[in-house]
Amino acid sequence: MVRLPLTPAEVERGQRLGALLRRARGERSMLDTALDAGVSPETLRKIESGRVATPAFPTIAAIADVLGLSLDDVWAEINRPDGEVEPSGSGRTVRERLAS
């Protein structure tokens, strides 16, 4: 099976996803997070580093669940151009909420 090359937008979205998951994981170890989500630590490392820009939905759903992230927030964050605020009216991005 031949995979089509990723578009620059897909690569960027994968990098935003990885950064979001790293921030959400915080001080929690990659090993504990991966095992709790039922994925290999190598898979989590590749997603967080952006090397796997289009991970499978069940993988992201499991990781998001372990990290307490809503899939709606994850989707909104990785598809939002930098600087936009979340539509909930709080005026803060998921990134800003994680930082506080």
Side-chain angles (χ1 to χ4, degrees):
M1 180 174 157
V2 176
R3 289 188 64 151
L4 295 174
L6 297 174
T7 66
E10 289 170 324
V11 171
E12 185 177 331
R13 193 168 44 239
Q15 291 169 343
R16 284 196 300 264
L17 173 63
L20 172 63
L21 296 178
R22 275 193 313 276
R23 284 191 308 274
R25 186 168 54 81
E27 297 296 317
R28 185 177 183 161
S29 80
M30 187 176 288
L31 177 63
D32 288 342
T33 303
L35 294 177
D36 288 347
V39 302
S40 75
E42 180 65 11
T43 295
L44 181 57
R45 187 181 67 73
K46 286 179 180 178
I47 294 169
E48 285 190 0
S49 69
R51 287 184 48 213
V52 175
T54 57
F57 176 80
T59 301
I60 294 307
I63 296 168
D65 183 52
V66 165
L67 297 176
L69 296 172
S70 112
L71 290 175
D72 288 334
D73 284 346
V74 170
W75 180 252
E77 182 70 17
I78 67 173
N79 286 291
R80 178 182 302 125
D82 285 339
E84 285 188 24
V85 296
E86 65 188 34
S88 70
S90 73
R92 296 183 343 163
T93 64
V94 172
R95 181 179 316 123
E96 292 166 336
R97 286 185 292 148
L98 288 172
S100 58

